[in-house]
Amino acid sequence: MTQAPSPEELEAINKVLANRQGALVQVFGDDYAHNLQTPVVFLDEETLESPPSIRFYKKDYAYLSKQLYLEYQYRSWTSFNQDVLARYNEVITKKLANINILMDNTITRLEKLLSQNNVSLESTLYPNPVTLTVPVIATHARSYFLLLVALDRVNLLAGTANLLGVIDSTQRAQAEYICKKAVRAFRSIMQTEVIKIYREAQRVIQEQRTGGKVNEGMSAIVEQQGKEIAAFTATANDGSDADASLDLGGMDPAKLIDDAAAASVATNKGKAKAKAPVPASAAAEAATPAA
């Protein structure tokens, strides 16, 4: 027989539940939170530390999550062009994977630099971290949040290496710059792809109108998406003047991400090859005069 929780355990459980419900409302708003019809995974006691990661989370996470969830909703619409959704998922998955490659390789390179210089992170921290309960309503939303955690790690490593003289300020800025830029580029790609599925959703509703029978629930979803796209577009660049690296300056965001990931792989392979020890047999053979 399962033992009933003690009053203390019950209080702790209720506190966690209250924090989760509060986080859902705080991130998505009261109306959306109370009308959401999907399981929600909560990432409890998560921490973001660096200003760029915190800024991205506050500005983009709720909007991106809602749009990513809509992909799942639209899959149930029988007249929705599934090829549009397949491309949407393919693009988003690939770009998230490539940003992850960039982050992992940058972190590996910085960790090696610190290790080679006998530097530890024991005395390094950001003084104003933010502790979060993160509601996850779409698979890629979790992947995006984990990129922000990785960006924190890049910034912490680069800052430590710079402050202790392992790299200079230019090298620090370069490491931070390309990773922030990639996350910012993902937002642009998402917006482009979101508009494509929104237009397909509009087509479905227009087709219903032409047939004289509109599903009001479906129509409301599309109308709300249009409002959110417009609102986000209007504020997408707010605050970018405070951080020049968040301005893409007309660059192709997809190419930026792909090129950055490829360059990080090449850089790490090049460094590994340059430092790889020469096998003893090969060294001996090279030292032996030709006959």
Side-chain angles (χ1 to χ4, degrees):
M1 180 180 293
T2 304
Q3 185 175 0
S6 67
E8 292 78 12
E9 290 171 332
L10 189 59
E11 182 180 357
I13 291 170
N14 289 335
K15 183 177 180 180
V16 169
L17 292 175
N19 285 341
R20 289 174 176 174
Q21 188 61 37
L24 194 63
V25 172
Q26 183 180 23
V27 172
F28 297 116
D30 191 75
D31 288 344
Y32 191 89
H34 285 97
N35 288 288
L36 193 60
Q37 300 295 317
T38 185
V40 181
V41 171
F42 291 91
L43 308 180
D44 297 311
E45 296 295 319
E46 292 288 344
T47 301
L48 291 178
E49 302 181 51
S50 65
S53 293
I54 294 170
R55 185 187 305 121
F56 280 128
Y57 181 80
K58 290 182 176 179
K59 185 172 183 58
D60 297 347
Y61 183 76
Y63 175 77
L64 297 184
S65 294
K66 289 180 181 180
Q67 302 309 315
L68 290 165
Y69 175 60
L70 277 173
E71 178 209 353
Y72 168 75
Q73 287 184 295
Y74 286 149
R75 287 187 183 280
S76 67
W77 292 19
T78 55
S79 53
F80 203 102
N81 186 339
Q82 298 298 306
D83 290 339
V84 174
L85 294 174
R87 171 182 159 73
Y88 176 83
N89 184 64
E90 179 183 357
V91 170
I92 298 307
T93 301
K94 181 179 178 181
K95 298 315 169 188
L96 284 171
N98 278 350
I99 300 173
N100 193 56
I101 289 170
L102 168 64
M103 295 289 186
D104 283 349
N105 284 324
T106 303
I107 288 169
T108 297
R109 178 168 56 84
L110 290 169
E111 285 178 340
K112 285 182 178 179
L113 276 173
L114 292 174
S115 177
Q116 289 164 0
N117 287 272
N118 298 315
V119 173
S120 73
L121 297 175
E122 291 180 3
S123 62
T124 307
L125 56 79
Y126 274 94
N128 299 297
V130 174
T131 301
L132 304 163
T133 297
V134 182
V136 177
I137 62 173
T139 301
H140 289 319
R142 178 177 179 273
S143 299
Y144 176 80
F145 178 76
L146 293 178
L147 287 181
L148 302 186
V149 174
L151 180 60
D152 259 357
R153 182 71 176 172
V154 169
N155 293 333
L156 186 69
L157 291 166
T160 300
N162 174 228
L163 292 172
L164 296 178
V166 176
I167 61 175
D168 61 28
S169 295
T170 299
Q171 292 169 314
R172 172 185 179 179
Q174 287 172 341
E176 296 173 344
Y177 169 87
I178 191 58
C179 291
K180 286 189 293 185
K181 201 88 161 180
V183 176
R184 171 63 181 85
F186 178 75
R187 177 206 297 167
S188 292
I189 292 169
M190 267 289 301
Q191 189 72 332
T192 298
E193 297 303 317
V194 161
I195 290 172
K196 290 177 183 177
I197 65 169
Y198 170 64
R199 286 174 179 164
E200 172 60 15
Q202 283 183 309
R203 183 198 65 77
V204 171
I205 300 303
Q206 184 56 48
E207 190 177 81
Q208 291 179 355
R209 289 197 180 99
T210 301
K213 190 175 181 180
V214 177
N215 183 307
E216 295 302 329
M218 294 167 67
S219 180
I221 289 173
V222 178
E223 182 180 356
Q224 182 60 31
Q225 185 182 23
K227 291 178 181 178
E228 291 184 352
I229 289 172
F232 189 78
T233 300
T235 62
N237 293 317
D238 286 0
S240 61
D241 56 344
D243 188 342
S245 68
L246 298 185
D247 182 2
L248 298 184
M251 299 174 68
D252 179 346
K255 188 173 187 301
L256 184 154
I257 291 171
D258 294 344
D259 288 353
S264 73
V265 172
T267 297
N268 280 19
K269 282 185 177 179
K271 289 182 180 296
K273 185 176 180 180
K275 295 183 179 181
V278 179
S281 58
E285 182 179 343
T288 304

